[in-house]
Amino acid sequence: MPEAVWDKELFPEPVVRRFGPVVTGRFLTYLGGYTRELKVDQPILMAVFVAATTAQLVGTALLTLVRGAAGKGATRRKFKELKKGPEFLVTPMRMRGDDGQLYEMELHGHVGQSAIIRQDHIQVTVRRQKDPQLQPRVERIVNITTQQVIVPHPPTIWSHLGPGMLLQAIAGVVIILLVVGVWVAL
């Protein structure tokens, strides 16, 4: 069931939070955007960091054997930096539903300002966020006026860590499994 929130300064009527999957209506406005930090789960981060560090140490040891001296490799981000998640843009948007209600939802990530203009007929797919105090999050917008599909892409933990660290982590897991396999075989 929609939940009404009242914002008398901007609109003289209550704003409805609709957590249903699809809302259709007319786009009204974007409200002031702000940044929010993505929370990083510690167990996942620790596992990836330890596996990547293992691969990096083995790689450095092999380079030392081959070259005779450790070369200067690329510096990696510290654990403390990785623990602080990436920031992404949150833009609240309002629309007038076909049922006459005023709806507010959050758009995560960047979307071109000209993709939706005032009074465009849109169909928005939303979902509930983990924090019940927050507005529903926009998953997809279909601009019926222009026949354009807009899908915002906020950052994830995997994009935050980067492909280099993920490849190192995979190599580290393989090395750890090989070492454990050899140790068990002895």
Side-chain angles (χ1 to χ4, degrees), residues 56-72:
Q56 186 179 24
L57 290 174
V58 170
T60 303
L62 289 174
L63 281 176
T64 303
L65 289 174
V66 172
R67 292 185 184 165
K72 291 193 175 190

Side-chain angles (χ1 to χ4, degrees), residues 88-166:
F88 59 95
L89 180 64
V90 176
T91 307
M93 63 176 267
R94 290 203 172 156
M95 67 179 280
R96 169 96 43 212
D98 287 342
D99 58 0
Q101 297 287 330
L102 184 64
Y103 293 103
E104 183 173 298
M105 50 210 67
E106 289 184 353
L107 190 63
H108 293 186
H110 293 278
V111 172
Q113 293 293 324
S114 63
I116 307 170
I117 59 173
R118 189 169 174 81
Q119 294 302 319
D120 274 355
H121 193 221
I122 59 175
Q123 183 181 50
V124 182
T125 305
V126 296
R127 74 176 175 125
R128 206 178 271 271
Q129 296 192 58
K130 290 179 184 177
D131 185 353
Q133 300 291 350
L134 297 174
Q135 299 290 347
R137 176 180 158 189
V138 173
E139 292 288 312
R140 184 177 88 135
I141 301 172
V142 178
N143 189 336
I144 299 169
T145 305
T146 63
Q147 298 298 311
Q148 182 180 13
V149 177
I150 302 151
V151 181
H153 296 287
T156 63
I157 176 96
W158 308 114
S159 66
H160 172 60
L161 295 176
M165 179 169 267
L166 295 176

Side-chain angles (χ1 to χ4, degrees), residues 4-49:
V5 179
W6 198 274
D7 189 354
K8 294 177 185 175
E9 290 180 18
L10 294 176
F11 294 93
E13 60 186 292
V15 176
V16 177
R17 289 183 179 180
R18 171 137 179 206
F19 297 104
V22 177
V23 183
T24 305
R26 298 276 177 191
F27 174 74
L28 294 178
T29 186
Y30 290 116
L31 300 175
Y34 59 94
T35 59
R36 186 181 298 159
E37 185 177 306
L38 179 69
K39 294 184 180 181
V40 178
D41 292 333
Q42 294 297 321
I44 293 172
L45 181 61
M46 283 297 294
V48 170
F49 190 77

